[in-house]
Amino acid sequence: MAQTFEQETLQVLLRDVPFVTEARYLPSTTSTNDVLKTLAADGAPEGTLIVTDEQTAGRGRLDRKWIAPPASSLLFSVLFRPVLAAQQAHVLTMLCSLGVRDAVRDTLGLNVGLKWPNDIVHRGHKLGGLLTEIDADTERLRWAIVGIGINVNWDPSAVPGLAQPVTSLSNLVGAPILRQDLLRSILQAVSRRYDALKTGLWPAREWEGALETIGQRVVVEGPATPIEGTAVGVAPDGALLVRTASGQVHRVVAGDVSVRPSGTHDA
Ligand code: ADP
């Protein structure tokens, strides 16, 4: 049977992660982002972490469902209270996705890529996603929550109806993975990168370098007319820059858009 996270194990694991101030394990919950949102509104400190083995209402952007069988995945959310404006919140998605990439490389020797704006991928196959949610006043963020779901020890490729090719870390390395080690490594990387951000190191260029999306022909679909072109880079705030046939470069912000490779269609 798959191993679950134990509260005590979590405490021991997180002793050496400076960023984590409180860690709670829930065997099953609706969504770690939803639980943490309530705690954030009640004043929970920066660095609060929620980890679960099962989500009954896991979701991605636009309320799309996130699927994960019990004890198969890494499912967790972390709370930030950064000195940033609301429009800068995407930097936390950048920072955390780079942290996942660091940790997968360090613990498994595997190089994963990223897909704009919030996916973890390996050669076009999605293996994880991030969901950043915020509360802000006019001046700055009150809090930002980054939820992370990663397919670890299961094979999602047989799940019907997923919009794109999918994979998992165990599929890629060909062996089961100890989720606790990976979680610790991710949080350590996020902690390091958050400290760097506070000293003014903005990760947009590094994030751009990790995006499989750059150089691809893409179609951006959203409330407005679809834009088709080549993804040529990202702006410092994380907006995707798409050059169309006329040579015009469009700035695309995450919000409610979907980006798919040109030539494919959503299911
Ligand atoms: P995107 O950024 O690709 O638009 P989201 O971040 O909104 O996607 O994530 C939700 C989407 O991810 C769902 O619509 C579904 O197609 C896909 N999905 C759901 N569960 C998984 C999973 N375990 N692995 C890979 N993809 C998934």
Side-chain angles (χ1 to χ4, degrees):
M1 210 177 88
Q3 281 190 317
T4 61
F5 282 102
E6 297 294 334
Q7 178 73 57
E8 305 92 78
T9 319
L10 210 58
Q11 298 300 347
V12 174
L13 277 176
L14 301 179
R15 211 180 31 201
D16 14 308
V17 183
F19 174 67
V20 174
T21 50
E22 255 181 57
R24 287 199 202 174
Y25 166 70
L26 303 168
S28 175
T29 189
T30 49
S31 132
T32 54
N33 266 30
D34 288 349
V35 173
L36 196 47
K37 266 192 213 171
T38 308
L39 296 178
D42 286 349
E46 173 161 89
T48 302
L49 166 73
I50 304 289
V51 186
T52 193
D53 264 313
E54 179 181 32
Q55 293 190 126
T56 53
R59 58 195 163 78
R61 294 180 308 146
L62 313 171
D63 274 336
R64 294 173 182 149
K65 216 169 148 43
W66 186 260
I67 297 161
S72 67
S73 300
L74 268 183
L75 303 168
F76 64 99
S77 298
V78 285
L79 175 62
F80 295 87
R81 293 188 181 276
V83 184
L84 291 175
Q87 315 83 267
Q88 296 176 308
H90 190 67
V91 73
L92 299 170
T93 316
M94 297 185 201
L95 185 155
C96 291
S97 56
L98 286 168
V100 171
R101 192 164 177 267
D102 295 341
V104 171
R105 190 194 50 228
D106 294 350
T107 58
L108 305 174
L110 179 72
N111 276 317
V112 293
L114 308 175
K115 180 190 165 211
W116 189 91
N118 65 332
D119 291 346
I120 315 285
V121 292
H122 185 263
R123 295 181 189 154
H125 290 66
K126 181 163 169 174
L127 62 96
L130 293 88
L131 181 65
T132 301
E133 297 184 282
I134 64 164
D135 184 34
D137 57 31
T138 47
E139 295 286 295
R140 54 166 278 197
L141 289 172
R142 276 195 204 97
W143 50 257
I145 288 169
V146 182
I148 303 182
I150 304 172
N151 299 329
V152 184
N153 291 322
W154 71 295
D155 181 3
S157 58
V159 174
L162 294 181
Q164 54 203 309
V166 292
T167 189
S168 69
L169 292 175
S170 63
N171 274 6
L172 291 167
V173 301
I177 290 152
L178 204 54
R179 290 177 300 156
Q180 292 159 351
D181 288 354
L182 183 60
L183 176 62
R184 179 178 53 196
S185 183
I186 292 171
L187 293 169
Q188 283 174 331
V190 167
S191 184
R192 274 195 307 272
R193 287 179 172 279
Y194 191 47
D195 284 346
L197 180 74
K198 286 191 238 169
T199 70
L201 280 174
W202 203 257
R205 290 284 77 82
E206 192 185 355
W207 189 66
E208 181 186 67
L211 286 176
E212 287 189 1
T213 318
I214 306 302
Q216 285 183 346
R217 297 277 310 160
V218 295
V219 179
V220 182
E221 283 167 340
T225 319
I227 300 169
E228 180 157 5
T230 304
V232 290
V234 291
D237 65 354
L240 186 66
L241 305 174
V242 178
R243 190 168 52 223
T244 55
S246 68
Q248 198 185 350
V249 175
H250 296 254
R251 245 182 73 87
V252 181
V253 292
D256 50 358
V257 299
S258 282
V259 172
R260 59 176 171 81
S262 156
T264 62
H265 297 278
D266 270 348

